[in-house]
Amino acid sequence: MTWIHSLGAEEIIFIIIFLVLYLAYTYRVFTVAKRVGQAYSNILPKFLLRTAIFALLIVSLLGPSFGDDKKEIKAVGKDIMIAVDLSASMDAYDVAPTRLEKIKFELKNIVDAFNSDRIGLLIFSSEAFVQCPLTYDQNALNLFIETLNTGLVPGSSTDFGGALSMAHDKLTSEEAPSSQQKSKIIILISDGEDFGDNTESAVSKINDSGIRLFSLGVGTEEGSKIRTRRGFRKDKNGNDIITKLDSRSMENLADQTDGEYFEINKNVNEVGRLISTINNIEGELKDAKTVDVSANKYFYFLIAAIILLLLDLVTTLKIIKI
């Protein structure tokens, strides 16, 4: 037999106090009976009954566990690959403090919301790189998120094709039945300015695999300049570059893969809705194992104590006969 709980110092002190008082009461009753010449046998049944009740309540409180039992433990979750645009336009400040800093803050909320799922992190601009492979380690993910900046990747333009193709490959690198592909998800985060040529083929590959693509656009339609250490980023003619959110391209990507488009701008933040939508997707069975367990059988002892207590209430013994 094992015990769920253990007696602490306070419980032991109260038990000792109760026992001392109860023994003092019993001693007094026995003393009175002796003085008037009554037999102890008239008192002993009540004493034994109440002692049994007290013992049963203590055992019940400790939570006795016994008996072998088997229980199947299932681990169910989703695989989520997040692709973050680190092109120069993500330094625009139409979403305060900048598009990228806002995304870094929201990424930590996303990681926290899916703490039982595997999450991976890709970064891209004109090229894509794995920043963190699929993992359950939230601390590692948050460390990688904190280091994100537009200087991590070469090039200043954006190519969705390479990032989406890499995300697809990482999610399908492990063999799984086609029915489980619905629990594999890609979250594409960008301002929507795609200058690549292979995006359509990458989206088609994702769609054929049954993976769902959710896009998160960040920015405003009015757009803003891109601040640098030397002022603002300029084009070849010396004019300030204005970068704007291209929500239409992001919506189109999501629509093609049974996904959904969400947005962060000056007035709207739909990250909460993104989290809620993904939470509603059923996860796949990752692992299942059978373990030996013992159940807390406190109720047997509690029921016995209650029955004896009722018996004590309805039973009357004459201690002194006149």
Side-chain angles (χ1 to χ4, degrees), residues 101-112:
E101 289 302 318
K102 180 62 175 177
I103 287 301
K104 287 167 64 174
F105 175 80
E106 296 297 345
L107 277 175
K108 293 179 181 179
N109 292 332
I110 292 173
V111 169
D112 183 61

Side-chain angles (χ1 to χ4, degrees), residues 10-299:
E10 287 186 18
E11 290 87 351
I12 293 174
I13 291 172
F14 280 115
I15 290 173
I16 292 174
I17 293 173
F18 176 83
L19 286 175
V20 169
L21 294 175
Y22 184 63
L23 288 173
Y25 164 76
T26 305
Y27 174 76
R28 179 176 175 79
V29 172
F30 273 90
T31 302
V32 171
K34 182 178 180 181
R35 286 178 181 177
V36 297
Q38 297 297 317
Y40 294 151
S41 58
N42 292 336
I43 306 170
L44 193 59
K46 279 281 190 179
F47 174 76
L48 294 177
L49 183 62
R50 291 170 181 173
T51 301
I53 292 171
F54 181 70
L56 288 170
L57 289 174
I58 294 298
V59 173
S60 176
L61 180 65
L62 292 175
S65 298
F66 55 87
D68 294 331
D69 196 5
K70 300 289 185 180
K71 184 176 182 180
E72 186 179 33
I73 305 297
K74 294 182 179 181
V76 178
K78 296 179 279 287
D79 286 343
I80 304 172
M81 187 61 71
I82 304 174
V84 183
D85 184 359
L86 292 185
S87 60
S89 59
M90 293 296 287
D91 283 331
Y93 53 90
D94 50 352
V95 176
T98 67
R99 294 176 181 175
L100 181 56
E101 289 302 318
K102 180 62 175 177
I103 287 301
K104 287 167 64 174
F105 175 80
E106 296 297 345
L107 277 175
K108 293 179 181 179
N109 292 332
I110 292 173
V111 169
D112 183 61
F114 301 114
N115 52 31
S116 61
D117 301 314
R118 288 200 305 174
I119 301 177
L121 186 65
L122 295 178
I123 55 176
F124 70 96
S125 59
S126 56
E127 299 180 52
F129 303 89
V130 176
Q131 182 78 341
C132 180
L134 288 168
T135 181
Y136 292 106
D137 191 339
Q138 287 183 280
N139 292 328
L141 280 164
N142 286 326
L143 284 175
F144 283 118
I145 289 170
E146 194 60 41
T147 62
L148 294 180
N149 65 82
T150 54
L152 286 178
V153 290
S156 57
S157 61
T158 305
D159 179 8
F160 289 164
L164 294 177
S165 181
M166 181 175 290
H168 169 272
D169 293 342
K170 296 302 178 183
L171 288 174
T172 56
S173 59
E174 301 174 3
E175 293 185 4
S178 59
S179 61
Q180 293 186 354
Q181 297 299 332
K182 291 296 183 181
S183 64
K184 297 182 183 294
I185 295 161
I186 297 173
I187 302 176
L188 178 68
I189 302 176
S190 175
D191 52 27
E193 297 179 331
D194 180 23
F195 300 98
D197 298 323
N198 301 316
T199 301
E200 287 301 322
S201 61
V203 172
S204 177
K205 186 163 58 173
I206 290 170
N207 193 39
D208 291 340
S209 298
I211 298 173
R212 299 180 68 175
L213 169 62
F214 295 91
S215 55
L216 177 61
V218 54
T220 62
E221 293 183 358
E222 299 80 16
S224 77
K225 301 176 183 179
I226 305 172
R227 186 180 285 116
T228 66
R229 294 180 180 179
R230 299 180 180 179
F232 297 105
R233 186 174 293 274
K234 301 182 182 297
D235 60 19
K236 296 179 180 179
N237 299 321
N239 300 316
D240 291 334
I241 297 175
I242 304 296
T243 173
K244 300 179 180 181
L245 170 65
D246 184 2
S247 59
R248 184 173 300 177
S249 65
M250 302 282 284
E251 287 183 49
N252 183 49
L253 292 176
D255 288 343
Q256 292 181 60
T257 61
D258 194 28
E260 196 170 340
Y261 171 72
F262 304 89
E263 188 169 306
I264 299 176
N265 56 44
K266 289 188 297 185
N267 304 313
V268 174
N269 185 341
E270 296 184 322
V271 170
R273 196 164 65 85
L274 166 65
I275 292 172
S276 178
T277 301
I278 296 178
N279 265 329
N280 290 331
I281 298 175
E282 184 177 356
E284 67 182 72
L285 180 64
K286 299 289 186 183
D287 188 24
K289 58 182 178 181
T290 302
V291 297
D292 294 326
V293 296
S294 57
N296 186 354
K297 303 295 178 60
Y298 75 94
F299 48 87

